[in-house]
Amino acid sequence: KQEVTQIPAALSVPEGENLVLNCSFTDSAIYNLQWFRQDPGKGLTSLLLIQSSQREQTSGRLNASLDKSSGRSTLYIAASQPGDSATYLCAVRPNNNDMRFGAGTRLTVKP
Amino acid sequence: DVKVTQSSRYLVKRTGEKVFLECVQDMDHENMFWYRQDPGLGLRLIYFSYDVKMKEKGDIPEGYSVSREKKERFSLILESASTNQTSMYLCASSFGAGYFSETQYFGPGTRLLVL
């Protein structure tokens, strides 16, 4: 059964720093991997989706990479801002009928 | 912009009550999903639907049922609410025939407390 882990559970950085969030999964046979952002008390907003045939996706200051063979994905945030403070979740699609989420990393960017 | 709305932001119900959570999307998406989110556990899929009147069980369907009578609306039903169903419930929708192959768009969530 696919398990998704995000470490650390919480991260605090000063404004302007570049940072990396980590996601690992136990079974490398995935269809895609998606990164989401969740603000307190709200739903999820999709940030990036990487298909299994892709190695990375970029959107603005965000870059997500995927290494299926090692069961890892990273979300790189450049020049962090206080508005980036949120919980970031990754999710993998192990088959056609399922999607598995990590518990998330709570990011705080201090002014 | 895709909009997914949920009927209530907060609900308080008593044990044994029948509870309906409603979700509506306005982008003609084929697929709709219900998740629950609990601290430290992430999101877990309860049910999803890929077409009107069609449904598939997710990871944790026990104690829940769903209804999709119209394409834009997906309802989650707690037949007899229990305290262990206290949680945040999130609805999502996506386009296309691949269920989870496209980006999912989420509603704001319903925080349910069962007393």
Side-chain angles (χ1 to χ4, degrees):
Chain A
K1 187 173 178 179
Q2 178 75 267
E3 292 185 6
V4 182
T5 304
Q6 292 183 251
I7 296 173
L11 180 65
S12 181
V13 300
E15 182 177 3
E17 226 177 72
N18 302 324
L19 62 100
V20 174
L21 305 180
N22 297 297
C23 174
S24 61
F25 44 96
T26 54
D27 188 342
S28 62
I30 64 171
Y31 282 63
N32 62 40
L33 182 145
Q34 198 163 356
W35 281 93
F36 293 88
R37 168 187 174 134
Q38 185 175 31
D39 292 287
K42 297 190 177 179
L44 279 65
T45 300
S46 177
L47 298 173
L48 292 163
L49 185 151
I50 311 175
Q51 301 292 353
S52 63
S53 58
Q54 298 174 321
R55 296 299 299 267
E56 65 177 346
Q57 284 283 343
T58 297
S59 176
R61 293 183 293 109
L62 306 180
N63 176 275
S65 68
L66 174 63
D67 184 344
K68 283 199 309 177
S69 61
S70 66
R72 291 176 185 270
S73 175
T74 61
L75 179 67
Y76 174 83
I77 303 177
S80 58
Q81 303 170 357
D84 294 330
S85 297
T87 297
Y88 291 82
L89 298 100
C90 73
V92 300
R93 182 185 163 211
N95 55 54
N96 206 32
N97 289 355
D98 198 10
M99 194 160 177
R100 297 280 165 167
F101 285 77
T105 294
R106 188 174 69 254
L107 173 66
T108 302
V109 181
K110 296 180 178 178
Chain B
D1 278 353
V2 175
K3 192 164 185 182
V4 180
T5 57
Q6 296 183 229
S7 52
S8 305
R9 293 301 304 274
Y10 302 95
L11 273 180
V12 180
K13 297 291 181 182
R14 297 219 173 264
T15 302
E17 278 192 73
K18 191 169 186 176
V19 182
F20 292 86
L21 303 182
E22 304 284 339
C23 176
V24 178
Q25 50 93 5
D26 66 358
M27 283 301 291
D28 204 34
H29 283 172
E30 286 80 4
N31 310 307
M32 297 187 75
F33 311 84
W34 275 107
Y35 295 90
R36 63 177 283 177
Q37 183 178 29
D38 300 287
L41 294 178
L43 274 75
R44 291 179 290 167
L45 181 65
I46 305 171
Y47 269 97
F48 69 98
S49 167
Y50 53 89
D51 200 353
V52 174
K53 297 191 185 296
M54 307 305 289
K55 61 184 179 184
E56 291 283 346
K57 292 181 180 179
D59 199 28
I60 50 165
E62 297 78 18
Y64 303 94
S65 63
V66 290
S67 172
R68 192 159 180 208
E69 296 296 319
K70 294 184 178 182
K71 190 175 185 180
E72 68 271 18
R73 187 180 297 269
F74 192 35
S75 303
L76 179 69
I77 303 155
L78 287 65
E79 297 289 343
S80 177
S82 62
T83 55
N84 62 13
Q85 292 178 309
T86 291
S87 186
M88 168 76 106
Y89 290 87
L90 292 162
C91 173
S93 71
S94 71
F95 173 74
Y99 305 169
F100 296 93
S101 62
E102 301 295 331
T103 298
Q104 292 189 27
Y105 297 87
F106 281 78
T110 296
R111 192 170 293 279
L112 173 67
L113 172 63
V114 182
L115 300 174

